[in-house]
Amino acid sequence: MATMESLIGLVNRIQRACTALGDYGGGDQAFSSLWDALPSVAVVGGQSSGKSSVLESIVGRDFLPRGSGIVTRRPLVLQLQKTEDGQQEYAEFGHLPRRKFFDFASVRKEIQDETDRITGKTKQISPVPIHLSIYSPNVVNLTLIDLPGLTKVAVEGQAESIVEDIENMVRSYVEKPNCIILAITPANQDIATSDAIKLAREVDPSGDRTFGVLTKLDLMDKGTNAIDVLEGRAYRLQHPWVGIVNRSQADINKNVDMMAARHKEREYFATSPDYGHLAGKMGSEYLAKLLSRHLESVIRARIPSITSLINKSIDELEAEMDHLGRPIALDAGHLMLAFQAQLYTILELCRAFDKIFKEHLDGGIPLGSDMRSNFAFSLGGWKVYTRRNKGKDVGGSEEKKEAGARERFQEIEPNGSLAFNLEFRPGGDRIYGVFDNQLPAALKKLPFDRHLSVQNVRKIVSEADGYQPHLIAPEQGYRRLIEGSLNYFRGPAEASVDAVHLVLKELVRKSIGECLELRRFPTLQSTIAGAANESLERFREESKKTVVRLVDMESSYLTVDFFRKLPQEVEKAGNPGGNPRENSPAAQNIDRYAEAHFRRIGSNVSSYVYMISETLRISIPKAVVYCQVKEAKQNLLNYFYTQIGRREGKQLSELLDEDPALMDRRLQCAKRLELYKKARDEVDSVAWVR
């Protein structure tokens, strides 16, 4: 069966491990606290209540610092472990695990020195506990936490908040449901004014967790006693009150042995006319045994919940370690192996990002409506219209790079704007939306009606004829009208390239953000994002050249068969027998330059331009996909791969320089995981079934 020694010793070992890790309870922990789940006995009392004397009586040794004011300025976790009779007593501190103290005067000095190490030579307090283990045949297995004494007034050298600070520290221990409260109250003080009882009543109104201890029974006024309190009539608790008779100050000054003090205490209760009938349930020895048995029973009852907490915490910590990523193991003694490990890690991270990018490009995942934006080419420049912030100019290098496109769109529609409505949804279907909706809409908005109006046709044909009018058909005029019309196609062609470029950039941004592995390495993350965007810029420039070539090819060689198939215009016949001047060439030229003639020319050119528009509507998407989308899918990081292979190990290390906050979080997780696994092993090592 599980013995009292094994149960309490288990909690002692886990508490020591918690303190070494920095887990000593409190609500400001970054992780769930294992310390808070462990049963403990907290010793609470006001200053000069005899709290230190009670602890020394339980231990049977004089080892605690003494003095006026606040002596206990850090929690002292006192772990008592019973040894076999005849073995020498000794003490060990958690911060000095390999050193045994056989002289308990040295224990007192070390407690004072360790307190000063954290708080300094001031009278301030600290929540960081001191762990002290005492091994003796004269103790029972028990763990007590000695807390600073409650006070009502700050003395010289203390902050004004010291009263509140001490109460908050004590409260942080006793308000935990796993804490057993040992409330110390001097018998020569009215129980109604006891600081310890007042605090215990607030956090444990039912009294289930509170043990009441009355000290200084021998110092009460003659003719008075504390029977009503000890028998539970003055203030009832679920557990019996225990009376204690401490050493007097004269005994302390004379260095009276603690064993002798215990004997004197037993004799006092046995011979007292007031407390003789309670002698078997009074004294420090009885208190220690009572607390030990109760602590053992509480631990036994809490073991299933502690085990559940440990297992749950291990699962959560392992999941977080997987999320944070395991540290890269680099052997500084093997530079080549370290270089290869770094390079392999970088390439794996690149492939992880590239995989997500391709998934978005091939699939398409809708974003919320708050991500929708308008990408507009306007008279005053390109603007980005968002639902929250309309009409912000896109500045910087992007605006400079698109200056040529802006000018062409100004030519297209000087008094308006041509907009490509892009919902920046990280999916490849947005690219199809550009080709299927935005490009045709942009082609329809081209100002051919103005360019091919009768007035403009007459003007261009006349200018093309120069000083010598055309003889039969105005071929130069036709060519100039067609070339001028085809130039308008440059704007939508380049706009399609830019619109697809923005979709690809958005896919890169989203993919970078969704690649959890890259979050560990912000430098590498930004480097990959920069390399991907540089590649997209190169793809865009090549795509622009290609779509402009498509337009230029249509301008450089016209489809002659189209015009040969047009119905020929019949010239107005001469007037036979009429005035010879009416049949002269001059008369025929006047008819040739009539309004109907120019309208006919404009109609012919419009039909030809429409044919070219249909051709470009089909060929521009093919060119854009080939030069941008396909290249981005296959070769997005190819240039980065060639560059990364030329870098030295130090440069690779800089790329893998993790966020310090993330590294610290992983380190804390690893330590906490080690603690919980160790605690699990400790629990498993004890047989719980009787």
Side-chain angles (χ1 to χ4, degrees), residues 434-570:
V434 171
F435 300 148
D436 193 53
N437 299 317
Q438 315 303 335
L439 176 59
L443 293 175
K444 289 180 181 179
K445 290 184 178 182
L446 294 177
F448 295 129
D449 54 345
R450 186 174 66 249
H451 183 66
L452 298 178
S453 65
V454 174
Q455 294 82 359
N456 199 49
V457 170
R458 178 185 289 111
K459 178 177 176 292
I460 291 176
V461 170
S462 299
E463 290 175 353
D465 284 347
Y467 69 92
Q468 186 174 357
H470 61 272
L471 299 177
I472 301 175
E475 182 172 338
Q476 290 301 321
Y478 265 102
R479 290 187 179 277
R480 287 195 182 185
L481 286 169
I482 293 172
E483 290 175 0
S485 299
L486 295 184
N487 276 336
Y488 284 119
F489 288 121
R490 287 173 174 261
E494 292 189 337
S496 298
V497 172
D498 292 326
V500 170
H501 174 73
L502 285 183
V503 174
L504 294 175
K505 284 186 68 175
E506 178 66 12
L507 291 182
V508 167
R509 186 188 68 80
K510 292 297 293 182
S511 300
I512 286 286
E514 292 174 9
C515 186
L516 300 181
E517 298 91 335
L518 274 177
R519 295 181 184 178
R520 293 176 55 188
F521 310 103
T523 302
L524 179 62
Q525 186 182 52
S526 61
T527 302
I528 292 177
N533 286 326
E534 287 178 8
S535 296
L536 293 180
E537 289 291 344
R538 290 195 298 272
F539 302 155
R540 174 165 71 164
E541 293 305 316
E542 185 61 33
S543 185
K544 278 191 176 182
K545 292 177 183 178
T546 301
V547 296
V548 169
R549 286 194 190 103
L550 291 177
V551 176
D552 290 344
M553 285 190 293
E554 296 293 344
S555 299
S556 62
Y557 187 80
L558 305 183
T559 305
V560 180
D561 289 344
F562 176 85
F563 293 96
R564 289 177 178 174
K565 294 177 180 179
L566 289 176
Q568 297 298 316
E569 183 178 357
V570 180

Side-chain angles (χ1 to χ4, degrees), residues 18 172 199 326 447 480 510 513 629 639 645 682:
C18 288
S172 70
L199 183 60
R326 305 289 174 172
R480 287 195 182 185
K510 292 297 293 182
V629 181
Y639 182 74
E682 293 280 5

Side-chain angles (χ1 to χ4, degrees), residues 22-33 36 127 172:
D23 175 13
Y24 37 84
D28 58 346
Q29 299 290 321
F31 300 88
S32 58
S33 175
D36 287 345
S172 70

Side-chain angles (χ1 to χ4, degrees), residues 329-342:
L330 300 178
D331 188 350
H334 299 80
L335 296 181
M336 181 55 67
L337 293 178
F339 175 81
Q340 291 175 351
Q342 291 171 332

Side-chain angles (χ1 to χ4, degrees), residues 655-674:
L655 289 177
L656 295 175
D657 185 18
E658 295 186 74
D659 182 356
L662 187 145
M663 295 174 65
D664 181 66
R665 179 69 179 181
R666 185 194 300 115
L667 179 61
Q668 294 301 321
C669 280
K671 289 182 178 179
R672 187 60 57 112
L673 183 60
E674 182 181 359

Side-chain angles (χ1 to χ4, degrees), residues 24 34 67-68 105 115 154 185 223 258 275 285 318 358 374 406 413 415 463 469 490 510 539 579 624 634 653:
Y24 37 84
L34 180 57
S68 60
T115 299
T185 300
M258 291 300 303
Y275 311 117
E285 290 180 283
E318 287 183 337
K358 289 177 180 177
N374 290 328
R406 291 202 305 272
E413 198 167 351
N415 297 321
E463 290 175 353
R490 287 173 174 261
K510 292 297 293 182
F539 302 155
N579 190 337
V624 171
Q634 296 180 351
S653 298

